[in-house]
Amino acid sequence: MMTVTAPLIFGWLIIVSVALTQAVFQCHRKIDMVILLDSSASITREQFADIKKFASDLVKHFEISRNKTNVVALAFSQTIQIGRKFRDDTSTETILKAIDGLNYEGSSTKLHTALTLVNEQILYRFQGARFYDKDVRKVVIVLTDGFSSRGFESTRDLTEILKNHGVEFFSVGISGRVNKDELSELTSQPIGTHQLLMNSKKSSFRKDQIEKFATDICK
């Protein structure tokens, strides 16, 4: 907030308050984005709420439309919850509602099932994806602690298939105890711009961290 003193008008001193807001980063690129949220037992209910907020705040940095950034949101544990698909009504509001509607399950961590679903269904044209459009970036963001049921070898094999088809992976470590080997398999190179580690037991994700992450995704 900045206070400005205006000239005397009819003998009165006018004080004007002007609100100064910092420009918020907005990405206008064409991106098919898939957000995978870990809702397994190794993640607490509070941490799951944190990562849903992170995902929602992240989405707000992108121009959402069928022609720009479109988003699939799903949660994985024993079962897979699909919040929305690419072919669904596309707006920031519908995506935020889909993320908010994902539920905490607290069971096993079937990340391999989620990655198989991405590979075999979600990123295909019949689901509304723009997979063969070279102008559209294909991005998968995984929010997890990296302790999947089948281990990092299975994760490596599944992500390798997607990476070979031009899919870029970003990972967010969502607790103070993460499996760095598995997170590395969920991260494209260079890791420094494709991975964010955060101890959400101690604090929420900061706005500047989320904005920096959005900037890296948009590059």
Side-chain angles (χ1 to χ4, degrees), residues 2-18:
M2 181 178 69
T3 300
V4 179
T5 303
L8 285 171
I9 301 177
F10 302 114
W12 291 89
L13 183 64
I14 308 298
I15 306 296
V16 181
S17 293
V18 181

mmCIF file with all atom_site columns, all heavy atoms in Angstrom, residues 2-18:
data_model
loop_
_atom_site.group_PDB
_atom_site.id
_atom_site.type_symbol
_atom_site.label_atom_id
_atom_site.label_alt_id
_atom_site.label_comp_id
_atom_site.label_asym_id
_atom_site.label_entity_id
_atom_site.label_seq_id
_atom_site.pdbx_PDB_ins_code
_atom_site.Cartn_x
_atom_site.Cartn_y
_atom_site.Cartn_z
_atom_site.occupancy
_atom_site.B_iso_or_equiv
_atom_site.pdbx_formal_charge
_atom_site.auth_seq_id
_atom_site.auth_comp_id
_atom_site.auth_asym_id
_atom_site.auth_atom_id
_atom_site.pdbx_PDB_model_num
ATOM 1   N N   . MET A 1 2  ? 0.610   2.207  -0.875 1.00 0.00 ? 2  MET A N   1
ATOM 2   C CA  . MET A 1 2  ? 1.383   3.443  -0.944 1.00 0.00 ? 2  MET A CA  1
ATOM 3   C C   . MET A 1 2  ? 0.438   4.612  -0.703 1.00 0.00 ? 2  MET A C   1
ATOM 4   O O   . MET A 1 2  ? -0.664  4.674  -1.256 1.00 0.00 ? 2  MET A O   1
ATOM 5   C CB  . MET A 1 2  ? 2.043   3.594  -2.309 1.00 0.00 ? 2  MET A CB  1
ATOM 6   C CG  . MET A 1 2  ? 2.890   4.853  -2.452 1.00 0.00 ? 2  MET A CG  1
ATOM 7   S SD  . MET A 1 2  ? 3.698   4.937  -4.074 1.00 0.00 ? 2  MET A SD  1
ATOM 8   C CE  . MET A 1 2  ? 2.295   5.207  -5.148 1.00 0.00 ? 2  MET A CE  1
ATOM 9   N N   . THR A 1 3  ? 0.845   5.574  0.148  1.00 0.00 ? 3  THR A N   1
ATOM 10  C CA  . THR A 1 3  ? 0.040   6.760  0.429  1.00 0.00 ? 3  THR A CA  1
ATOM 11  C C   . THR A 1 3  ? 0.557   7.931  -0.376 1.00 0.00 ? 3  THR A C   1
ATOM 12  O O   . THR A 1 3  ? 1.754   8.227  -0.369 1.00 0.00 ? 3  THR A O   1
ATOM 13  C CB  . THR A 1 3  ? 0.090   7.104  1.925  1.00 0.00 ? 3  THR A CB  1
ATOM 14  O OG1 . THR A 1 3  ? -0.421  5.989  2.663  1.00 0.00 ? 3  THR A OG1 1
ATOM 15  C CG2 . THR A 1 3  ? -0.758  8.332  2.216  1.00 0.00 ? 3  THR A CG2 1
ATOM 16  N N   . VAL A 1 4  ? -0.338  8.620  -1.085 1.00 0.00 ? 4  VAL A N   1
ATOM 17  C CA  . VAL A 1 4  ? 0.021   9.749  -1.930 1.00 0.00 ? 4  VAL A CA  1
ATOM 18  C C   . VAL A 1 4  ? -0.671  10.999 -1.407 1.00 0.00 ? 4  VAL A C   1
ATOM 19  O O   . VAL A 1 4  ? -1.877  10.988 -1.152 1.00 0.00 ? 4  VAL A O   1
ATOM 20  C CB  . VAL A 1 4  ? -0.402  9.501  -3.394 1.00 0.00 ? 4  VAL A CB  1
ATOM 21  C CG1 . VAL A 1 4  ? -0.039  10.703 -4.256 1.00 0.00 ? 4  VAL A CG1 1
ATOM 22  C CG2 . VAL A 1 4  ? 0.249   8.231  -3.919 1.00 0.00 ? 4  VAL A CG2 1
ATOM 23  N N   . THR A 1 5  ? 0.085   12.069 -1.230 1.00 0.00 ? 5  THR A N   1
ATOM 24  C CA  . THR A 1 5  ? -0.481  13.345 -0.793 1.00 0.00 ? 5  THR A CA  1
ATOM 25  C C   . THR A 1 5  ? -0.820  14.183 -2.011 1.00 0.00 ? 5  THR A C   1
ATOM 26  O O   . THR A 1 5  ? 0.035   14.513 -2.814 1.00 0.00 ? 5  THR A O   1
ATOM 27  C CB  . THR A 1 5  ? 0.512   14.117 0.099  1.00 0.00 ? 5  THR A CB  1
ATOM 28  O OG1 . THR A 1 5  ? 0.860   13.278 1.205  1.00 0.00 ? 5  THR A OG1 1
ATOM 29  C CG2 . THR A 1 5  ? -0.109  15.407 0.590  1.00 0.00 ? 5  THR A CG2 1
ATOM 30  N N   . ALA A 1 6  ? -2.104  14.510 -2.157 1.00 0.00 ? 6  ALA A N   1
ATOM 31  C CA  . ALA A 1 6  ? -2.559  15.292 -3.299 1.00 0.00 ? 6  ALA A CA  1
ATOM 32  C C   . ALA A 1 6  ? -2.474  16.780 -2.999 1.00 0.00 ? 6  ALA A C   1
ATOM 33  O O   . ALA A 1 6  ? -2.351  17.186 -1.842 1.00 0.00 ? 6  ALA A O   1
ATOM 34  C CB  . ALA A 1 6  ? -4.002  14.906 -3.630 1.00 0.00 ? 6  ALA A CB  1
ATOM 35  N N   . PRO A 1 7  ? -2.522  17.644 -4.019 1.00 0.00 ? 7  PRO A N   1
ATOM 36  C CA  . PRO A 1 7  ? -2.476  19.084 -3.808 1.00 0.00 ? 7  PRO A CA  1
ATOM 37  C C   . PRO A 1 7  ? -3.675  19.564 -2.993 1.00 0.00 ? 7  PRO A C   1
ATOM 38  O O   . PRO A 1 7  ? -4.708  18.894 -2.897 1.00 0.00 ? 7  PRO A O   1
ATOM 39  C CB  . PRO A 1 7  ? -2.526  19.646 -5.238 1.00 0.00 ? 7  PRO A CB  1
ATOM 40  C CG  . PRO A 1 7  ? -2.118  18.512 -6.107 1.00 0.00 ? 7  PRO A CG  1
ATOM 41  C CD  . PRO A 1 7  ? -2.588  17.287 -5.429 1.00 0.00 ? 7  PRO A CD  1
ATOM 42  N N   . LEU A 1 8  ? -3.542  20.755 -2.387 1.00 0.00 ? 8  LEU A N   1
ATOM 43  C CA  . LEU A 1 8  ? -4.638  21.349 -1.629 1.00 0.00 ? 8  LEU A CA  1
ATOM 44  C C   . LEU A 1 8  ? -5.816  21.639 -2.542 1.00 0.00 ? 8  LEU A C   1
ATOM 45  O O   . LEU A 1 8  ? -5.666  22.206 -3.622 1.00 0.00 ? 8  LEU A O   1
ATOM 46  C CB  . LEU A 1 8  ? -4.180  22.646 -0.969 1.00 0.00 ? 8  LEU A CB  1
ATOM 47  C CG  . LEU A 1 8  ? -3.277  22.487 0.267  1.00 0.00 ? 8  LEU A CG  1
ATOM 48  C CD1 . LEU A 1 8  ? -2.741  23.844 0.674  1.00 0.00 ? 8  LEU A CD1 1
ATOM 49  C CD2 . LEU A 1 8  ? -4.064  21.869 1.416  1.00 0.00 ? 8  LEU A CD2 1
ATOM 50  N N   . ILE A 1 9  ? -6.996  21.206 -2.143 1.00 0.00 ? 9  ILE A N   1
ATOM 51  C CA  . ILE A 1 9  ? -8.204  21.479 -2.910 1.00 0.00 ? 9  ILE A CA  1
ATOM 52  C C   . ILE A 1 9  ? -9.202  22.148 -1.983 1.00 0.00 ? 9  ILE A C   1
ATOM 53  O O   . ILE A 1 9  ? -9.652  21.548 -0.998 1.00 0.00 ? 9  ILE A O   1
ATOM 54  C CB  . ILE A 1 9  ? -8.802  20.186 -3.488 1.00 0.00 ? 9  ILE A CB  1
ATOM 55  C CG1 . ILE A 1 9  ? -7.773  19.499 -4.397 1.00 0.00 ? 9  ILE A CG1 1
ATOM 56  C CG2 . ILE A 1 9  ? -10.103 20.467 -4.248 1.00 0.00 ? 9  ILE A CG2 1
ATOM 57  C CD1 . ILE A 1 9  ? -8.244  18.183 -4.957 1.00 0.00 ? 9  ILE A CD1 1
ATOM 58  N N   . PHE A 1 10 ? -9.520  23.419 -2.285 1.00 0.00 ? 10 PHE A N   1
ATOM 59  C CA  . PHE A 1 10 ? -10.440 24.196 -1.456 1.00 0.00 ? 10 PHE A CA  1
ATOM 60  C C   . PHE A 1 10 ? -9.998  24.198 0.004  1.00 0.00 ? 10 PHE A C   1
ATOM 61  O O   . PHE A 1 10 ? -10.802 24.138 0.931  1.00 0.00 ? 10 PHE A O   1
ATOM 62  C CB  . PHE A 1 10 ? -11.877 23.676 -1.572 1.00 0.00 ? 10 PHE A CB  1
ATOM 63  C CG  . PHE A 1 10 ? -12.417 23.680 -2.969 1.00 0.00 ? 10 PHE A CG  1
ATOM 64  C CD1 . PHE A 1 10 ? -12.714 22.491 -3.611 1.00 0.00 ? 10 PHE A CD1 1
ATOM 65  C CD2 . PHE A 1 10 ? -12.594 24.880 -3.650 1.00 0.00 ? 10 PHE A CD2 1
ATOM 66  C CE1 . PHE A 1 10 ? -13.202 22.500 -4.907 1.00 0.00 ? 10 PHE A CE1 1
ATOM 67  C CE2 . PHE A 1 10 ? -13.080 24.889 -4.948 1.00 0.00 ? 10 PHE A CE2 1
ATOM 68  C CZ  . PHE A 1 10 ? -13.384 23.700 -5.586 1.00 0.00 ? 10 PHE A CZ  1
ATOM 69  N N   . GLY A 1 11 ? -8.676  24.268 0.214  1.00 0.00 ? 11 GLY A N   1
ATOM 70  C CA  . GLY A 1 11 ? -8.145  24.358 1.565  1.00 0.00 ? 11 GLY A CA  1
ATOM 71  C C   . GLY A 1 11 ? -8.040  23.037 2.288  1.00 0.00 ? 11 GLY A C   1
ATOM 72  O O   . GLY A 1 11 ? -7.626  22.996 3.436  1.00 0.00 ? 11 GLY A O   1
ATOM 73  N N   . TRP A 1 12 ? -8.447  21.924 1.614  1.00 0.00 ? 12 TRP A N   1
ATOM 74  C CA  . TRP A 1 12 ? -8.379  20.620 2.258  1.00 0.00 ? 12 TRP A CA  1
ATOM 75  C C   . TRP A 1 12 ? -7.183  19.842 1.730  1.00 0.00 ? 12 TRP A C   1
ATOM 76  O O   . TRP A 1 12 ? -6.874  19.875 0.562  1.00 0.00 ? 12 TRP A O   1
ATOM 77  C CB  . TRP A 1 12 ? -9.649  19.806 1.979  1.00 0.00 ? 12 TRP A CB  1
ATOM 78  C CG  . TRP A 1 12 ? -10.870 20.374 2.661  1.00 0.00 ? 12 TRP A CG  1
ATOM 79  C CD1 . TRP A 1 12 ? -11.713 21.309 2.159  1.00 0.00 ? 12 TRP A CD1 1
ATOM 80  C CD2 . TRP A 1 12 ? -11.331 20.073 3.959  1.00 0.00 ? 12 TRP A CD2 1
ATOM 81  N NE1 . TRP A 1 12 ? -12.684 21.619 3.046  1.00 0.00 ? 12 TRP A NE1 1
ATOM 82  C CE2 . TRP A 1 12 ? -12.488 20.858 4.182  1.00 0.00 ? 12 TRP A CE2 1
ATOM 83  C CE3 . TRP A 1 12 ? -10.901 19.207 4.970  1.00 0.00 ? 12 TRP A CE3 1
ATOM 84  C CZ2 . TRP A 1 12 ? -13.212 20.809 5.364  1.00 0.00 ? 12 TRP A CZ2 1
ATOM 85  C CZ3 . TRP A 1 12 ? -11.628 19.157 6.140  1.00 0.00 ? 12 TRP A CZ3 1
ATOM 86  C CH2 . TRP A 1 12 ? -12.764 19.952 6.339  1.00 0.00 ? 12 TRP A CH2 1
ATOM 87  N N   . LEU A 1 13 ? -6.528  19.125 2.606  1.00 0.00 ? 13 LEU A N   1
ATOM 88  C CA  . LEU A 1 13 ? -5.420  18.260 2.215  1.00 0.00 ? 13 LEU A CA  1
ATOM 89  C C   . LEU A 1 13 ? -5.987  16.870 1.948  1.00 0.00 ? 13 LEU A C   1
ATOM 90  O O   . LEU A 1 13 ? -6.568  16.238 2.827  1.00 0.00 ? 13 LEU A O   1
ATOM 91  C CB  . LEU A 1 13 ? -4.361  18.192 3.325  1.00 0.00 ? 13 LEU A CB  1
ATOM 92  C CG  . LEU A 1 13 ? -3.105  17.367 3.015  1.00 0.00 ? 13 LEU A CG  1
ATOM 93  C CD1 . LEU A 1 13 ? -2.351  18.021 1.857  1.00 0.00 ? 13 LEU A CD1 1
ATOM 94  C CD2 . LEU A 1 13 ? -2.211  17.283 4.241  1.00 0.00 ? 13 LEU A CD2 1
ATOM 95  N N   . ILE A 1 14 ? -5.846  16.421 0.726  1.00 0.00 ? 14 ILE A N   1
ATOM 96  C CA  . ILE A 1 14 ? -6.412  15.138 0.343  1.00 0.00 ? 14 ILE A CA  1
ATOM 97  C C   . ILE A 1 14 ? -5.339  14.066 0.418  1.00 0.00 ? 14 ILE A C   1
ATOM 98  O O   . ILE A 1 14 ? -4.263  14.201 -0.173 1.00 0.00 ? 14 ILE A O   1
ATOM 99  C CB  . ILE A 1 14 ? -6.981  15.201 -1.091 1.00 0.00 ? 14 ILE A CB  1
ATOM 100 C CG1 . ILE A 1 14 ? -7.942  16.388 -1.240 1.00 0.00 ? 14 ILE A CG1 1
ATOM 101 C CG2 . ILE A 1 14 ? -7.671  13.885 -1.436 1.00 0.00 ? 14 ILE A CG2 1
ATOM 102 C CD1 . ILE A 1 14 ? -9.142  16.302 -0.332 1.00 0.00 ? 14 ILE A CD1 1
ATOM 103 N N   . ILE A 1 15 ? -5.593  12.994 1.159  1.00 0.00 ? 15 ILE A N   1
ATOM 104 C CA  . ILE A 1 15 ? -4.685  11.852 1.255  1.00 0.00 ? 15 ILE A CA  1
ATOM 105 C C   . ILE A 1 15 ? -5.290  10.701 0.453  1.00 0.00 ? 15 ILE A C   1
ATOM 106 O O   . ILE A 1 15 ? -6.420  10.278 0.703  1.00 0.00 ? 15 ILE A O   1
ATOM 107 C CB  . ILE A 1 15 ? -4.465  11.405 2.713  1.00 0.00 ? 15 ILE A CB  1
ATOM 108 C CG1 . ILE A 1 15 ? -4.011  12.592 3.573  1.00 0.00 ? 15 ILE A CG1 1
ATOM 109 C CG2 . ILE A 1 15 ? -3.480  10.254 2.773  1.00 0.00 ? 15 ILE A CG2 1
ATOM 110 C CD1 . ILE A 1 15 ? -2.668  13.155 3.162  1.00 0.00 ? 15 ILE A CD1 1
ATOM 111 N N   . VAL A 1 16 ? -4.549  10.233 -0.540 1.00 0.00 ? 16 VAL A N   1
ATOM 112 C CA  . VAL A 1 16 ? -5.028  9.176  -1.407 1.00 0.00 ? 16 VAL A CA  1
ATOM 113 C C   . VAL A 1 16 ? -4.202  7.916  -1.170 1.00 0.00 ? 16 VAL A C   1
ATOM 114 O O   . VAL A 1 16 ? -2.972  7.969  -1.218 1.00 0.00 ? 16 VAL A O   1
ATOM 115 C CB  . VAL A 1 16 ? -4.940  9.583  -2.898 1.00 0.00 ? 16 VAL A CB  1
ATOM 116 C CG1 . VAL A 1 16 ? -5.470  8.464  -3.781 1.00 0.00 ? 16 VAL A CG1 1
ATOM 117 C CG2 . VAL A 1 16 ? -5.708  10.880 -3.127 1.00 0.00 ? 16 VAL A CG2 1
ATOM 118 N N   . SER A 1 17 ? -4.854  6.807  -0.911 1.00 0.00 ? 17 SER A N   1
ATOM 119 C CA  . SER A 1 17 ? -4.160  5.525  -0.745 1.00 0.00 ? 17 SER A CA  1
ATOM 120 C C   . SER A 1 17 ? -4.268  4.738  -2.035 1.00 0.00 ? 17 SER A C   1
ATOM 121 O O   . SER A 1 17 ? -5.358  4.538  -2.571 1.00 0.00 ? 17 SER A O   1
ATOM 122 C CB  . SER A 1 17 ? -4.775  4.705  0.404  1.00 0.00 ? 17 SER A CB  1
ATOM 123 O OG  . SER A 1 17 ? -4.541  5.362  1.641  1.00 0.00 ? 17 SER A OG  1
ATOM 124 N N   . VAL A 1 18 ? -3.121  4.278  -2.542 1.00 0.00 ? 18 VAL A N   1
ATOM 125 C CA  . VAL A 1 18 ? -3.080  3.536  -3.782 1.00 0.00 ? 18 VAL A CA  1
ATOM 126 C C   . VAL A 1 18 ? -2.534  2.142  -3.501 1.00 0.00 ? 18 VAL A C   1
ATOM 127 O O   . VAL A 1 18 ? -1.449  2.005  -2.942 1.00 0.00 ? 18 VAL A O   1
ATOM 128 C CB  . VAL A 1 18 ? -2.190  4.247  -4.832 1.00 0.00 ? 18 VAL A CB  1
ATOM 129 C CG1 . VAL A 1 18 ? -2.176  3.450  -6.133 1.00 0.00 ? 18 VAL A CG1 1
ATOM 130 C CG2 . VAL A 1 18 ? -2.677  5.670  -5.054 1.00 0.00 ? 18 VAL A CG2 1
#
